[in-house]
Amino acid sequence: MDTVIIDGLSFALPLFIIAIGGIYSEKSGITNLALEGFQGFGAFVGALSAVLIAHTSGIGVEHLFYVALLFSMIGGMMFSIIHAVLCIKFKADQVISGVVINILALALTTFLTAQINVLVFGQASDRFQLGVSDRFTIEFLANIPVIGAAFTNIYPFEIIIVIIACFAWYLLYKSKFGMRLRAAGENPHSVDAAGVDVSKVRFSAVLISGLLSGLGGMCFAYSISANFSSSIYMGYGFLAIAALIFGNWKILPTLVACLIFGFAKSGGSAIAMVMELPSSFTDLFMTLPYVLTLLLLIFFSKSNRAPRALGEIYDKGKR
Amino acid sequence: MSDYIVEMKHITKRFPGIVANDDVSIGIKKGEIFALLGENGAGKSTLMSILSGMYEPDEGEVYIRGEKVQISSPNHAAKLNIGMVHQHFKLVPDYTITENIILGIEPMKRFAGIFPYVDIQSANRKIEELSKSFGLEVDPKKRITDLTVSMQQRVEILKVLYREAEILIFDEPTAVLTPQEIEFLLDIIEGLRQGGKTIILITHKLDEIKKVADRCAVLNKGKLIDVLDVKETSTNYMAQLMVGREVSFESAKTPAQMKDEVLKVENLTVKNEDGFEVVKDVSFSIRGGEIFAIAGVADNGQVEIADAIAGLTKVSSGKILLNEQDITDERIRKRTEAGISYIPEDRQSVGLILDFDVATNLALKQYYKEPFSRNGILNKEEFDQFGNRLIEKYDIRSGQGIQTQVRSMSGGNQQKAIIAREIELQSPLMIFVQPTRGVDIGAIENIHKMMIQERDKGKAILLVSLELDEIMDVADTIGVIYNGRLQKVASSESLTKNEVGEYMMGAKHG
């Protein structure tokens, strides 16, 4: 039971932060299917900077977690500029742009990882070895029955994500930037008429989604996969999109959706473990979050409502 | 000189292929209500877009309070205390009134001295005060989705007032309102003037100008025709200047010669996509030689009634009889052949195929029949002959005759093409949905004439319109709809415009 909660949280929270990125972009009116690519590219940049620094300075790569985190955010943000420029400046189709960016991220990072391994480290490998970040336990809270597990064996990034998520909530719902951003996704003409530049607001929103996705991707790389390789593209970016849709493009309900996915995943592995099934069956249980996605889709797609101007190219002249 | 708060001198603005403003000069005095009168495309909106910073003029100068300015953006205009109340509202549906008004100039406060946040509370109070002092009566905490159109308009007015505008431009403000709401709006405008504001009113409705405006500039095809003192000018003269020729306001309508019943609608109920009943238990009938008009505020189910009869919407219960034949569940082509002509509300997406030429569009409802096609093969020659004949007969103006792409034609001529096509079907029932929306006065006159002609040929005509004036002008019988129900059905002579207005708002029941 404890492992279900511990593993569930450590999966749900990175997913949550990627989903928040998606919420920012979509609330501003830009459809964002590129979350998958953002998180992968962000993780790539983070991992690359960690192994490079470890290589030159001799510090163990597992201790460079915070450095990697910082660079992953920058990397995700830089990569998201492509989506922003294509969709906002060149008014490209947002769905196509998103799909292309995902393919580009996968191809580019796989290629670069192999090349850099050969050229810099002189070894043929398709991955950057990272290790697993340290964990800690908050003793006095960990002793509470059941819930205590939530405070046991925590990755530091879980705390970071919670803090950033709180700030993201405040920024989206309480600040004037957030107010303009949400208005841009509902009726961009109203924002324009109020003398605010719609393009700037949307541009910032897409960059934020890149930044947060990069962060989420890095957390996955430093926990469940312990390295960076093309296996980072497991579809978690798409799962995040599913979560934000179930969450009705709102931050708190999206957290609930992410937790459900997280516990479904860890619960799936736990059941497979307890039943001592052969490994081919474990894979079956790993599909649990996705099966759940399909089921939830049936119930939620009716009542949930996307931002009104989502995916619409904003053209000043049109009314 | 200095008694003008706004002066626009020798303004010229060109767009590709058209001169929207041609050497226009006007001066507006502080505290007056100044009207801009002109048909669609006369250049009123362009002129005011220049004043509100949306366009820059190609030639000419603008003076505000005696100082020469170059207004570069709506923000700049706001700083000069110029505000525009747009015709198409720019509101965020899920936001409250307050949130919509403060968008862009949000008042901030700090939480615990550090975290800045948008101070909704104080804005709520300020807007409530503002609303009270100008008699606008809005509750700032309400969401836009819960507001009527006229309330939403008041929010637009408040937006401008909140930005401390002294010069308010109203762009066709009454186009979407009922007579009672128009009355109220004109009172508000009068109140604003008494509060020291200067008002510019863009409109093509003469009676409104007569009611509130002090002076009035008439524009025609981009040129300033004259600036008139409203009190000393007759509406007839203003109309003449506006159109450039004499206009008859009285439609040449003889009393209806009603014949047998053509359409009978019994207990019609229609549900929309979400399963709500938008048309509730509606019954009426139309006889040959009768124009039956459905009056109502937008979105009260009138379009759905027309669509249900034409077959575009499914009927959930009730019956539709055309010449005593039950067509309730028939396919659209069957209905057309049984005798329904339909002029849809959205002529560009439903009425026409914009990228096809005129000849094809005119043949759209008959192409599959002889002589337009034989054994499934189209006969181009027949299309062309038919097209040429209709262009001639209905005076459809198109640049390259029958080969003209419909997209390049003006709205009025597109509408003429649709009406021509539908009249040629010789159907006993013709349905007109908003036939004069967005076309200019000359074309409106023409469309009304055609409707009356068809009526006199013995056809039954169903007219759905949001323009009450139009309904009062042409209808023989008026049915007023509110919230999906027919509130009242009576002959047009027995109803006054105000009564119809009251039924439209549900204030009165038949």
Side-chain angles (χ1 to χ4, degrees), chain A residues 192-196, chain B residues 48-54 64-65 69-84 86 101 103-105 159-169 197:
Chain A
D192 200 23
V196 178
Chain B
M48 286 304 109
S49 297
I50 289 170
L51 187 58
S52 61
M54 251 110 67
I64 306 290
R65 297 180 196 88
V69 286
Q70 278 195 327
I71 306 173
S72 53
S73 69
N75 270 353
H76 187 194
K79 276 194 197 110
L80 295 165
N81 307 95
I82 300 169
M84 180 129 165
H86 296 276
I101 291 171
L103 190 65
I105 48 166
K159 243 192 200 178
V160 173
L161 290 175
Y162 187 84
R163 284 162 173 73
E164 293 174 345
E166 292 298 322
I167 302 155
L168 281 80
I169 306 165
K197 313 278 184 196

Side-chain angles (χ1 to χ4, degrees), chain A residues 170 174 179-180 182 187 305, chain B residues 91 94-95 104 106 116 118:
Chain A
Y170 157 80
K174 295 290 160 193
M179 207 168 131
R180 292 165 182 188
R182 285 179 292 130
N187 183 359
R305 191 184 65 75
Chain B
L91 300 169
D94 285 350
Y95 277 19
E106 302 84 353
V118 179

Side-chain angles (χ1 to χ4, degrees), chain B residues 122-167:
Chain B
S122 76
N124 272 340
R125 275 194 302 275
K126 189 172 166 192
I127 287 159
E128 195 150 8
E129 273 168 33
L130 207 55
S131 147
K132 258 189 205 140
S133 65
F134 288 103
L136 288 162
E137 298 169 27
V138 301
D139 175 1
K141 285 173 198 149
K142 272 204 174 149
R143 278 177 203 287
I144 301 298
T145 33
D146 302 330
L147 300 183
T148 61
V149 173
S150 93
M151 276 296 207
Q152 293 183 15
Q153 187 175 50
R154 286 180 225 169
V155 177
E156 286 284 354
I157 297 173
L158 275 170
K159 243 192 200 178
V160 173
L161 290 175
Y162 187 84
R163 284 162 173 73
E164 293 174 345
E166 292 298 322
I167 302 155

Side-chain angles (χ1 to χ4, degrees), chain A residues 167 170 174-183 186-187 189-196 305 308 319, chain B residues 75 86 88-95 99-100 102-106 108 115-118 120 145 159 163:
Chain A
F167 181 73
Y170 157 80
K174 295 290 160 193
S175 76
K176 62 180 169 191
F177 171 70
M179 207 168 131
R180 292 165 182 188
L181 188 151
R182 285 179 292 130
E186 293 288 331
N187 183 359
H189 298 283
S190 68
V191 180
D192 200 23
V196 178
R305 191 184 65 75
R308 279 187 177 79
R319 280 193 284 223
Chain B
N75 270 353
H86 296 276
H88 302 272
F89 304 149
K90 300 183 176 196
L91 300 169
V92 183
D94 285 350
Y95 277 19
E99 286 168 330
N100 267 288
I102 62 176
L103 190 65
I105 48 166
E106 302 84 353
M108 301 304 288
F115 302 106
Y117 67 97
V118 179
I120 301 282
T145 33
K159 243 192 200 178
R163 284 162 173 73

Side-chain angles (χ1 to χ4, degrees), chain B residues 432-473:
Chain B
F432 289 81
V433 186
Q434 292 251 64
T436 58
R437 197 180 66 167
V439 303
D440 55 36
I441 288 198
I444 292 176
E445 213 186 336
N446 198 333
I447 291 169
H448 289 171
K449 218 186 275 165
M450 284 200 273
M451 281 170 63
I452 292 164
Q453 262 172 23
E454 292 308 304
R455 180 200 72 170
D456 291 343
K457 285 187 205 156
K459 294 184 181 174
I461 292 182
L462 173 63
L463 168 67
V464 172
S465 176
L466 303 180
E467 295 283 340
L468 198 41
D469 287 328
E470 168 168 280
I471 287 178
M472 298 310 289
D473 271 356

Side-chain angles (χ1 to χ4, degrees), chain B residues 156-224:
Chain B
E156 286 284 354
I157 297 173
L158 275 170
K159 243 192 200 178
V160 173
L161 290 175
Y162 187 84
R163 284 162 173 73
E164 293 174 345
E166 292 298 322
I167 302 155
L168 281 80
I169 306 165
F170 285 83
D171 187 2
E172 302 273 2
T174 57
V176 286
L177 304 179
T178 64
Q180 282 78 4
E181 289 169 341
I182 291 174
E183 207 61 40
F184 193 84
L185 175 71
L186 295 180
D187 284 347
I188 290 172
I189 291 179
E190 185 59 44
L192 289 168
R193 187 252 294 273
Q194 270 155 24
K197 313 278 184 196
T198 306
I199 312 284
I200 304 172
L201 187 63
I202 304 177
T203 183
H204 59 244
K205 291 190 181 163
L206 298 158
D207 46 341
E208 287 159 20
I209 293 184
K210 198 73 190 164
K211 213 172 270 169
V212 294
D214 301 308
R215 294 190 307 142
C216 157
V218 186
L219 292 169
N220 189 342
K221 293 183 183 131
K223 288 202 174 75
L224 179 69

